[in-house]
């Protein structure tokens, strides 16, 4: 075939490229980064609701002592599936959705580097999610080994365990493909003039997160594959009867699990680093130190894994090393919090919904960080390990951390996505409702844990009744707030109800994403923008 198109053919081909597909084909065969970003966000919100329903069944059971709704076996299935669905189905895909939507817009690229792989990495998630959710209906019920899938429990589970392992493999493959796509896009497709140290913070945090994902997802794959061969092929990696060691599983899992915690929070740091300067009307304080702090967190995350294992019979030398390494990771995290506060200091701040969620994030995430610092102390951790204190700690970091940052990012960028301004009053109702309900739910759990209530128990003695009742009421209020968010904030903007968003809805917002119209056209930056090297301003 001739490599040369005549003028008419070239026009025709060009026209076809511009034509946005319609109907179901647009979504099933989507290769446009904006459509795939939207699919990721809708998928993750669906999984958030499913995981949330499981959590509410757990809290309904714990509303008072005694067994009310579910038996202990089903209770353990619910806690396991709640954890797996929230981590792998809600938080991680949501941040990939933000990355798909925003990274090409922020760096002046026309799309993601590998458009078809982008489509494939999204659609892999659907069968994996169906497999995880349907495991409740398999013989013996869903996996009930905790979201960490510890041996030897996993060696005793029914067929749903195999389905869970397969689903995690598929989700891991999806994550690795998404990460490769993000790394290649960021490193190779930035607009001319955008050096790495001029790149938006969200792109930086995702670049580092993508490297973390590629490093640790194969570790999880190894651990669950060894579990699979123990179950079916006569190996004894984790089976003591054949000379295996269940504690080895913990080491392998947490070598994945601790960087995974930062995979779920670093993109949140990136979002907050955009929202705070915009509403403080100041440049981000200490940009370079933010980049170095993010990198330090990523590197240190590989040497702290065994702080999850202080009670597993670790020698004192090991406890000391992991204790000090864990305390060290608080330093770069504190640098970030200092920088956000310094950005706000003497800024002319206004508190629109994105800024409310950002400030709420900083406040509540800092509390979660302090409880983590307490858990870093081996002698204290041994006392409160596997109690509700730990549950409170990681929900403060992941719900009030990752989720609040996502809400902040949604309110901040949705005018650019939909071309419609969200309703500010409803946004503020969503924020205060979420903040109060969240703290009512999880703050009492610190006291339950300090008093010795173990987690993953379906029943408890009378002395824990009051705080559990309070936490359960808060949990239902928090869940309702997210339903309110979807029906009264998201749906109206998706339907185009509301005032039209200007190109730059926030006057002080900086970045290339604000140089395109609202809503962002189907194709943007087909010719890369030329940047003024001194500041990321478009000059051509």
């Amino acid at each position: 075939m001739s490599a040369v198109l005549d003028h008419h053919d070239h026009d025709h081909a060009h026209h076809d490229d511009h034509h946005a597909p319609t109907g179901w084909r647009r979504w099933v065969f989507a290769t446009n980064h904006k459509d795939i970003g939207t699919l990721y966000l809708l998928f993750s919100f669906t999984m958030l609701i499913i995981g949330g329903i499981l959590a509410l069944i757990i809290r309904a059971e714990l509303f008072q002592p005694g067994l009310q709704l579910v038996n202990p076996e089903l209770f353990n299935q619910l806690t396991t599936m709640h954890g797996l669905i929230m981590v792998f189905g809600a938080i991680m895909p949501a941040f990939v959705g933000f990355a798909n939507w925003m990274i090409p817009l922020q760096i002046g690229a026309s799309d993601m580097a590998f458009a078809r792989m982008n489509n494939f990495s999204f659609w892999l998630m659907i069968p994996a999610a169906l497999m995880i959710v349907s495991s409740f209906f398999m013989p013996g019920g869903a996996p009930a080994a905790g979201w960490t899938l510890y041996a030897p429990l996993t060696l005793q589970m029914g067929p749903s365990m195999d389905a869970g392992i397969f689903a995690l493999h598929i989700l891991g493959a999806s994550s690795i493909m998404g990460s490769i796509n993000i790394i290649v896009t960021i490193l190779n497709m930035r607009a001319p003039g955008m050096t790495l140290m001029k790149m938006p913070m969200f792109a930086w945090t995702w670049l580092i997160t993508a490297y973390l994902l590629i490093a640790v997802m194969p570790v999880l794959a190894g651990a669950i594959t060894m579990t699979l061969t123990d179950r079916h092929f006569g190996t004894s990696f984790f089976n003591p009867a054949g000379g295996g060691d269940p504690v080895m599983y913990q080491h392998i899992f947490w070598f994945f699990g601790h960087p995974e915690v930062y995979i779920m929070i670093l993109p949140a740091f990136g979002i907050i680093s955009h929202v705070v300067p915009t509403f403080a009307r100041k440049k981000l304080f200490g940009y370079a130190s933010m980049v170095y702090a993010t990198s330090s967190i990523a590197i240190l995350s590989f040497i702290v894994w065994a702080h999850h294992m202080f009670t597993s019979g670790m020698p004192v030398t090991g406890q000391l090393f992991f204790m000090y390494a864990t305390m060290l990771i608080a330093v770069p995290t504190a640098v970030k919090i200092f920088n956000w506060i310094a950005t706000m200091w003497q800024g002319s701040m206004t508190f629109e919904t994105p800024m409310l969620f950002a400030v709420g994030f900083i406040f509540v995430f800092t509390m979660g960080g302090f409880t983590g610092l307490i858990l870093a102390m081996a002698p204290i951790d041994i006392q409160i390990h596997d109690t509700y204190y730990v549950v409170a700690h990681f929900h403060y970091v992941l719900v009030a951390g990752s989720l609040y940052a996502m809400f902040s990012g949604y309110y901040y960028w949705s005018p650019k996505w939909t071309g419609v301004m969200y309703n500010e009053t409803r946004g503020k109702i969503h924020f205060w409702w979420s903040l109060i309900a969240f703290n009512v739910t999880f703050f009492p759990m610190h006291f339950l844990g300090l008093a010795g209530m173990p987690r993953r128990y379906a029943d408890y003695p009378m002395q824990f009744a009051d705080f559990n009742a309070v936490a359960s009421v808060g949990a239902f209020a928090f869940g309702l707030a997210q339903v309110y968010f979807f029906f009264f904030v998201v749906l109206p903007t998706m339907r185009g109800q509301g005032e039209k968003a200007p190109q730059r809805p926030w006057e002080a917002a900086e970045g290339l994403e604000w140089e395109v119209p609202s809503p962002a056209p189907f194709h943007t930056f087909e010719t890369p923008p030329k940047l003024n090297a001194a500041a990321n301003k478009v000059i051509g």
Side-chain angles (χ1 to χ4, degrees):
M1 181 181 148
S2 166
V4 181
L5 292 168
D6 69 25
H7 185 68
H8 174 76
D9 283 347
H10 182 270
D11 277 356
H12 181 70
H14 200 66
H15 174 74
D16 274 359
D17 284 347
H18 268 71
H19 180 63
T22 51
W24 60 271
R25 289 171 186 277
R26 171 177 177 179
W27 301 102
V28 173
F29 301 122
T31 51
N32 183 286
H33 72 97
K34 302 177 184 77
D35 284 355
I36 293 174
T38 304
L39 286 169
Y40 266 111
L41 290 168
L42 289 171
F43 169 82
S44 66
F45 192 80
T46 307
M47 296 304 278
L48 181 83
I49 295 300
I50 294 171
I53 290 167
L54 303 184
L56 292 183
I57 300 171
I58 293 167
R59 284 312 326 168
E61 174 56 59
L62 293 173
F63 181 67
Q64 58 189 47
L67 294 176
Q68 276 76 240
L69 299 173
V70 297
N71 60 29
E73 291 80 14
L74 180 57
F75 187 86
N76 284 346
Q77 293 171 27
L78 291 167
T79 51
T80 303
M81 299 310 287
H82 166 69
L84 287 173
I85 287 170
M86 287 305 201
V87 169
F88 296 104
I91 295 176
M92 289 169 70
F95 280 134
V96 178
F98 274 101
N100 263 297
W101 247 108
M102 296 317 303
I103 286 175
L105 285 178
Q106 289 192 328
I107 64 173
S110 57
D111 207 311
M112 297 296 278
F114 305 115
R116 285 189 177 85
M117 186 165 87
N118 206 7
N119 174 289
F120 187 45
S121 67
F122 170 73
W123 284 110
L124 274 180
M125 305 196 76
I126 304 298
L130 290 172
M131 217 178 306
I132 283 186
V133 175
S134 65
S135 64
F136 278 108
F137 307 105
M138 294 178 187
W147 84 275
T148 51
L149 304 177
Y150 272 6
L153 279 173
T154 45
L155 309 181
Q156 302 157 8
M157 294 283 132
S160 65
M161 191 70 234
D162 304 319
I165 288 172
F166 189 34
L168 285 178
H169 272 301
I170 296 172
L171 291 169
S174 167
S175 290
I176 289 171
M177 285 194 283
S179 301
I180 292 169
N181 215 343
I182 286 164
I183 290 170
V184 175
T185 305
I186 291 174
L187 294 185
N188 290 349
M189 296 176 68
R190 298 192 306 283
M194 184 182 283
T195 61
L196 280 175
M197 291 307 281
K198 291 266 187 291
M199 205 161 70
M201 265 317 294
F202 182 64
W204 253 119
T205 52
W206 243 116
L207 179 64
I208 291 164
T209 303
Y211 276 115
L212 276 180
L213 272 164
I214 289 173
V216 301
M217 289 314 287
V219 178
L220 174 68
I224 57 180
T225 305
M226 289 151 90
T227 302
L228 196 68
T229 60
D230 274 12
R231 285 169 56 81
H232 296 294
F233 299 105
T235 57
S236 291
F237 291 111
F238 310 131
N239 185 356
D245 182 4
V247 177
M248 180 171 78
Y249 176 87
Q250 296 188 29
H251 278 289
I252 300 169
F253 178 86
W254 285 116
F255 190 78
F256 147 81
H258 206 82
E260 166 68 16
V261 172
Y262 294 102
I263 286 163
M264 291 190 283
I265 201 66
L266 290 182
F269 291 165
I271 292 172
I272 299 303
S273 301
H274 284 276
V275 174
V276 168
T278 297
F279 295 96
R281 289 162 181 78
K282 277 175 67 186
K283 280 233 177 294
L284 180 66
F285 179 89
Y287 172 90
S289 64
M290 280 295 227
V291 172
Y292 298 136
T294 309
S295 312
S296 310
I297 289 171
I299 292 160
L300 288 171
S301 72
F302 284 101
I303 60 162
V304 298
W305 78 89
H307 66 210
H308 297 268
M309 300 169 54
F310 284 148
T311 56
S312 64
M314 190 188 299
V316 173
T317 326
Q319 289 187 351
L320 284 172
F321 170 81
F322 286 105
M323 183 165 95
Y324 292 135
T326 307
M327 288 154 76
L328 188 64
I329 213 163
V331 176
T333 314
V335 167
K336 288 179 161 298
I337 289 166
F338 174 82
N339 285 3
W340 292 323
I341 293 169
T343 306
M344 292 190 273
W345 181 253
Q346 293 193 328
S348 46
M349 292 207 292
T350 53
F351 291 96
E352 286 87 346
T353 311
M355 186 61 162
L356 283 176
F357 269 107
V359 174
F361 165 91
I362 294 168
F363 169 64
V364 190
F365 176 79
T366 305
M367 286 173 61
F370 279 130
T371 54
L373 209 51
I374 290 165
L375 286 166
M377 316 284 173
I380 303 177
D381 181 82
I382 287 165
Q383 295 299 315
I384 51 180
H385 184 81
D386 258 339
T387 69
Y388 267 78
Y389 189 90
V390 178
V391 177
H393 156 68
F394 70 72
H395 282 87
Y396 263 80
V397 175
L398 283 181
V399 181
S402 302
L403 195 65
Y404 278 22
M406 286 178 211
F407 287 141
S408 180
Y410 173 81
Y411 285 108
Y412 183 59
W413 282 312
S414 72
K416 182 59 63 189
W417 300 347
T418 60
V420 172
M421 292 302 291
Y422 63 88
N423 183 307
E424 190 64 58
T425 309
R426 290 175 181 178
K428 286 180 173 161
I429 290 170
H430 175 224
F431 168 72
W432 287 109
W433 188 352
S434 294
L435 186 77
I436 293 164
F438 169 81
N439 282 292
V440 169
T441 306
F442 292 105
F443 199 72
M445 292 186 190
H446 293 102
F447 302 114
L448 287 170
L450 290 168
M453 179 172 166
R455 62 181 179 165
R456 298 180 187 162
Y457 275 41
D459 193 5
Y460 53 86
M462 198 63 210
Q463 70 258 35
F464 300 136
D466 294 348
F467 276 149
N468 266 303
V470 171
S472 291
V473 171
F476 276 88
F478 186 75
L480 213 54
Q482 308 332 312
V483 175
Y484 172 86
F485 165 68
F486 185 73
F487 283 106
F488 293 96
V489 179
V490 177
L491 271 187
T493 57
M494 285 173 74
R495 288 178 178 151
Q497 297 164 359
E499 62 179 272
K500 196 168 168 0
Q503 177 175 318
R504 195 180 288 268
W506 321 114
E507 66 208 52
E510 290 192 352
L512 289 180
E513 69 263 43
W514 309 110
E515 304 292 337
V516 300
S518 300
F522 193 69
H523 293 286
T524 42
F525 297 127
E526 292 184 307
T527 50
K530 292 187 180 63
L531 299 184
N532 171 353
N536 274 348
K537 291 279 192 293
V538 177
I539 54 174

